[in-house]
Amino acid sequence: QLQLVESGGGLVQPGGSLRLSCTASGFTLDDYAMSWYRQGPGKERELVADISSLGSSTNYADSVKGRFTISRDNAKSTVYLQMNSLKVEDTAVYYCNRLRGRPFDWGQGTQVTVSS
């Protein structure tokens, strides 16, 4: 059964850091370029960062460039998002999914709340 499970979210003060993980099962992760998405309160889901299937290429939304780093460990079937210098506007539910093609079933996401 294909499944994506996100974890690592929490409550953090502005300027803090979090590391999100997305563990995949039921398919071969290294066959796919993967992405992190987020959906803030009252907002549409947006693409935050993506990474090629073997990790050699990454891209970031302008809003997170220089603060977030996407990486992957295909041997562990896991994609990561290191988030530094967090801002209040980063508050959202974060999801991972494939970058191209019809999305896999969405996981439950992980809540990130940035607040003082």
Side-chain angles (χ1 to χ4, degrees):
Q1 180 181 356
L2 193 152
Q3 193 174 21
L4 296 165
V5 179
E6 301 90 353
S7 62
L11 173 64
V12 63
Q13 292 186 342
S17 297
L18 285 172
R19 188 195 196 201
L20 306 184
S21 298
C22 167
T23 301
S25 59
F27 66 100
T28 303
L29 185 67
D30 42 344
D31 285 345
Y32 298 94
M34 295 293 291
S35 301
W36 280 96
Y37 301 83
R38 68 185 180 186
Q39 187 166 16
K43 298 181 181 180
E44 296 290 321
R45 187 174 291 164
E46 63 174 344
L47 177 65
V48 173
D50 63 75
I51 186 167
S52 58
S53 59
L54 299 182
S56 59
S57 176
T58 58
N59 294 286
Y60 299 92
D62 287 343
S63 58
V64 307
K65 202 170 293 183
R67 300 188 297 120
F68 290 11
T69 302
I70 188 171
S71 61
R72 63 193 296 160
D73 185 338
N74 287 337
K76 296 183 178 179
S77 294
T78 302
V79 182
Y80 303 99
L81 187 68
Q82 177 67 43
M83 306 187 297
N84 299 328
S85 302
L86 282 161
K87 303 177 180 180
V88 172
E89 51 264 42
D90 294 319
T91 295
V93 180
Y94 284 72
Y95 305 86
C96 68
N97 214 309
R98 63 193 293 186
L99 174 62
R100 301 180 189 88
R102 180 181 177 181
F104 299 130
D105 288 345
W106 293 92
Q108 83 287 351
T110 186
Q111 174 71 49
V112 172
T113 302
V114 185
S115 175
S116 55

